[in-house]
Amino acid sequence: MRFFFPILVALLVSLLLPAHSAAQKTVSFPTEDGGIIYADLYGNGDRGVVLAHGGQFNKESWAKQAQALVAAKFRVLALDFRGYGKSHGPGDADPVDAPLHLDVLAAVHYLQKAGVKNVSIVGASMGGGAAGDASILSQPGEIDRIVFLGYAPNEPADKLKSASLFIVARDDTSGDGPRLPWIKGQYEKAPQPKELIILEGSAHAQFLFQTDQADRVMREILRFLSAK
């Protein structure tokens, strides 16, 4: 009997893996400036979330967070910005200076065309800047909410058209110094409704998910995106 149990476990795992992988598929869609963006699509809820990665990450880096969002009944689209993976478009040789907000808007429009009723964004670092700029340039009501991880809009935050949650570690630092003063300044300019959560530590953006605060960060994201 003790030999049968490991075999049974292995069989169950082999049966579950295809079901898990079938929940995610890769899609592509155009941007308004002629680019093509590739993204991983998870779930089939009528509320959508775009996951916009940081400069050191890619669409696959969101897999764990995407599954948590799917469990909360969201449909999730984790994109590769132009210059990452197979995504491409003008400026992709230097993505940091490229019009990445167009990639985010293209992802939002993809979900809308697929029947999603409202779309929010979780943007980390570079992806947070792109998400904020997308909100500023969007039509009113097009982007419901934005979670900024370790970042803020590149453009003045008083022009945001979305509810916003800023999450940053107190000692998060770039080559230019601490990020908190700039993020706090943008938060103060942002229109209501808005929230600012300052965590202890120095982890930047998606690196927060590699710390002992990962569960709290995910809980705060789910709470904010699920609130009525």
Side-chain angles (χ1 to χ4, degrees):
M1 189 68 179
R2 64 184 176 182
F3 296 108
F4 174 74
F5 183 72
I7 296 172
L8 178 61
V9 171
L11 179 59
L12 288 172
V13 169
S14 68
L15 289 172
L16 288 171
L17 282 175
H20 174 81
S21 61
Q24 175 266 322
K25 66 177 181 178
T26 300
V27 299
S28 64
F29 42 85
T31 65
E32 69 174 47
D33 64 344
I36 298 292
I37 300 302
Y38 285 79
D40 290 338
L41 180 65
Y42 301 78
N44 54 12
D46 61 6
R47 297 177 299 166
V49 179
V50 173
L51 300 179
H53 64 81
Q56 298 183 52
F57 293 85
N58 56 23
K59 62 183 175 62
E60 289 82 9
S61 65
W62 290 110
K64 184 175 180 180
Q65 291 76 43
Q67 294 295 342
L69 287 162
V70 168
K73 309 301 182 184
F74 288 96
R75 191 180 315 188
V76 181
L77 191 63
L79 64 85
D80 260 344
F81 280 114
R82 62 185 71 191
Y84 292 79
K86 296 194 292 183
S87 296
H88 57 87
D92 58 15
D94 188 10
V96 174
D97 293 323
L100 301 184
H101 63 281
L102 296 180
D103 303 359
V104 174
L105 285 173
V108 170
H109 296 157
Y110 176 91
L111 287 175
Q112 290 172 334
K113 290 176 183 177
V116 171
K117 293 180 179 178
N118 63 67
V119 181
S120 298
I121 307 168
V122 178
S125 192
M126 175 183 79
D133 295 348
S135 172
I136 289 168
L137 294 172
S138 68
Q139 296 300 314
E142 196 168 31
I143 298 171
D144 187 35
R145 307 170 193 213
I146 300 180
V147 178
F148 295 97
L149 293 177
Y151 219 73
N154 297 306
E155 300 296 325
D158 60 330
K159 298 178 181 178
L160 281 170
K161 298 187 181 80
S162 313
S164 54
L165 169 62
F166 296 76
I167 301 177
V168 59
R170 188 180 305 278
D171 299 320
D172 182 353
T173 304
S174 71
D176 297 322
R179 289 188 171 94
L180 180 57
W182 172 68
I183 292 172
K184 194 171 182 180
Q186 285 286 69
Y187 164 76
E188 290 170 353
K189 294 177 185 176
Q192 294 285 356
K194 60 184 178 181
E195 295 181 47
L196 172 63
I197 295 174
I198 301 173
L199 303 173
E200 297 305 317
S202 59
H204 176 55
Q206 279 174 270
F207 288 108
L208 287 166
F209 294 116
Q210 300 175 17
T211 73
D212 59 3
Q213 303 207 67
D215 289 344
R216 182 190 173 187
V217 173
M218 199 64 227
R219 285 196 306 271
E220 297 289 4
I221 291 172
L222 289 169
R223 173 192 60 78
F224 179 74
L225 295 181
S226 300
K228 296 183 179 180

